[in-house]
Amino acid sequence: MELHQEAAERLASSGRRYTRTRRRLVDILAKAGMPLSLPAIVRGRKNLPQSSAYRNLAELETAGLIRRVASEDGFARYELAEELTGHHHHLMCSRCGQVQDLHIPAPLERRLDRTLDVLAREAAFATVRHRLDLIGLCRACGST
Amino acid sequence: MELHQEAAERLASSGRRYTRTRRRLVDILAKAGMPLSLPAIVRGRKNLPQSSAYRNLAELETAGLIRRVASEDGFARYELAEELTGHHHHLMCSRCGQVQDLHIPAPLERRLDRTLDVLAREAAFATVRHRLDLIGLCRACGST
DNA sequence: ATGAGAATGGGAATGATTCTCAATGCGTCG
DNA sequence: CGACGCATTGAGAATCATTCCCATTCTCAT
């Protein structure tokens, strides 16, 4: 996987190492394809102590490899940085907290980007990115 | 203000009261016009104990009058519910955490809504709303 | 008034996350 | 190969926003 190359290099460039645990975390997040909470990351996995998981997620975040997203339920979520996965959005269930990745049509995305750029410029904001999430009830929660 | 009418009624309908502290919180948020953290709400104000502020904000939230937004810096932010203020977005500085309200052009908003509705339906999500935030560097932070 | 239930506020408790630190691993250079 | 330097590990302690507790106070309906 080219992903690990990238990761190793980025860490090395600041004197850090791409250890087994770090690779493992990257794998977990890559495989999941959705933002995971720490409990979800750790649950059912051996030799992945909480403190190490937290520390390494933070490490990977400052290396720009993963992104931490605050969430309403008290548990932050972690996902691969968009630089690695491509830009995307989220569809989240406000009842059960489930999150899934979502891509929106490129034309809309482009228009969004253009418009937001203008608005940001007007407000004197620099280097803007956006975050767009859908919040609703998933099939399971919606049918109750 | 019609706002307080609405608030009083909603609380009353579930056997709660629109007390002085609650009205005060609503006023603070209405006047601010941007999401405030609890420290920001309480700072410099007398007779507004932390525990009461937290409790009442939670109360107002379950009454649907205010919205609580998780944020990266550890402090949740509170703002009036969109039902009271109208739909809007945020422009937030990733360095200093400052947040300001932002309105986007109605046509874009409509197109966004239509598209997202379709996507939500495809994913079997119900009663969807969206959240769109701009994240960048404010003038002060950007010029360093 | 008066009683029932809502609200208050000070402090204790909770719980996710971060910090600490002794022990260990890894790489490099002689 | 050996050994030093430095990053990493992991178990538990510490932090800190937020929630909970509860005795007291307030409000409203009768």
Side-chain angles (χ1 to χ4, degrees):
Chain A
M1 202 99 184
E2 220 261 313
L3 174 60
H4 293 301
Q5 269 304 324
E6 179 75 17
E9 279 166 23
R10 290 227 208 170
L11 285 168
S13 79
S14 55
R16 276 167 262 180
R17 299 178 192 150
Y18 196 39
T19 60
R20 189 155 45 262
T21 305
R22 290 175 191 172
R23 180 192 312 266
R24 211 173 150 201
L25 288 170
V26 168
D27 271 334
I28 292 170
L29 294 180
K31 203 163 301 173
M34 69 172 70
L36 297 182
S37 67
L38 189 110
I41 290 173
V42 156
R43 187 184 324 128
R45 269 179 253 265
K46 290 180 184 166
N47 303 112
L48 189 45
Q50 219 189 39
S51 67
S52 296
Y54 270 122
R55 177 161 30 72
N56 284 313
L57 288 168
E59 211 71 64
L60 291 169
E61 192 194 13
T62 68
L65 292 165
I66 71 179
R67 178 158 73 122
R68 190 198 126 111
V69 198
S71 125
E72 300 301 332
D73 69 359
F75 290 94
R77 303 289 151 100
Y78 301 88
E79 65 180 344
L80 290 187
E82 292 202 331
E83 247 175 291
L84 302 176
T85 59
H87 179 60
H88 66 277
H89 305 274
H90 295 128
L91 191 49
M92 37 183 56
C93 177
S94 57
R95 167 97 48 104
C96 69
Q98 183 209 114
V99 186
Q100 57 185 265
D101 285 3
L102 176 73
H103 290 264
I104 74 176
L108 175 56
E109 187 77 55
R110 270 199 304 278
R111 177 165 167 198
L112 204 51
D113 257 340
R114 256 180 294 131
T115 309
L116 297 182
D117 255 13
V118 173
L119 293 174
R121 210 179 331 266
E122 283 171 6
F125 264 62
T127 65
V128 204
R129 60 183 204 283
H130 69 259
R131 180 175 56 194
L132 170 63
D133 299 317
L134 285 192
I135 302 151
L137 291 174
C138 70
R139 193 200 316 259
C141 292
S143 55
T144 13
Chain B
M1 201 103 185
E2 219 261 312
L3 175 59
H4 294 301
Q5 269 304 324
E6 178 75 18
E9 279 166 23
R10 290 228 207 167
L11 285 169
S13 79
S14 56
R16 275 167 262 179
R17 299 177 191 153
Y18 195 39
T19 61
R20 190 155 46 262
T21 305
R22 290 176 190 171
R23 180 193 311 265
R24 211 173 151 200
L25 288 169
V26 168
D27 270 336
I28 292 170
L29 295 180
K31 203 163 303 173
M34 68 172 70
L36 297 182
S37 67
L38 189 109
I41 289 173
V42 156
R43 186 184 324 128
R45 269 179 253 264
K46 291 180 182 165
N47 302 113
L48 189 44
Q50 222 189 36
S51 66
S52 297
Y54 271 122
R55 177 165 27 75
N56 285 313
L57 288 168
E59 212 70 65
L60 291 169
E61 191 192 13
T62 67
L65 292 165
I66 70 179
R67 178 158 72 122
R68 189 198 127 113
V69 198
S71 126
E72 300 300 332
D73 69 359
F75 290 94
R77 302 290 151 100
Y78 301 86
E79 64 180 345
L80 290 187
E82 292 203 330
E83 247 174 291
L84 302 177
T85 60
H87 179 60
H88 65 277
H89 305 275
H90 296 127
L91 190 50
M92 36 182 57
C93 176
S94 56
R95 168 98 47 102
C96 69
Q98 182 210 113
V99 186
Q100 55 185 266
D101 286 2
L102 178 73
H103 290 263
I104 74 176
L108 176 56
E109 188 75 56
R110 271 198 304 278
R111 177 163 166 199
L112 204 51
D113 257 342
R114 256 181 293 130
T115 310
L116 297 181
D117 254 14
V118 173
L119 293 174
R121 212 180 329 266
E122 282 170 8
F125 264 62
T127 63
V128 204
R129 61 183 203 281
H130 70 260
R131 180 173 58 191
L132 170 63
D133 299 318
L134 284 193
I135 301 151
L137 291 174
C138 70
R139 195 202 312 262
C141 290
S143 55
T144 15

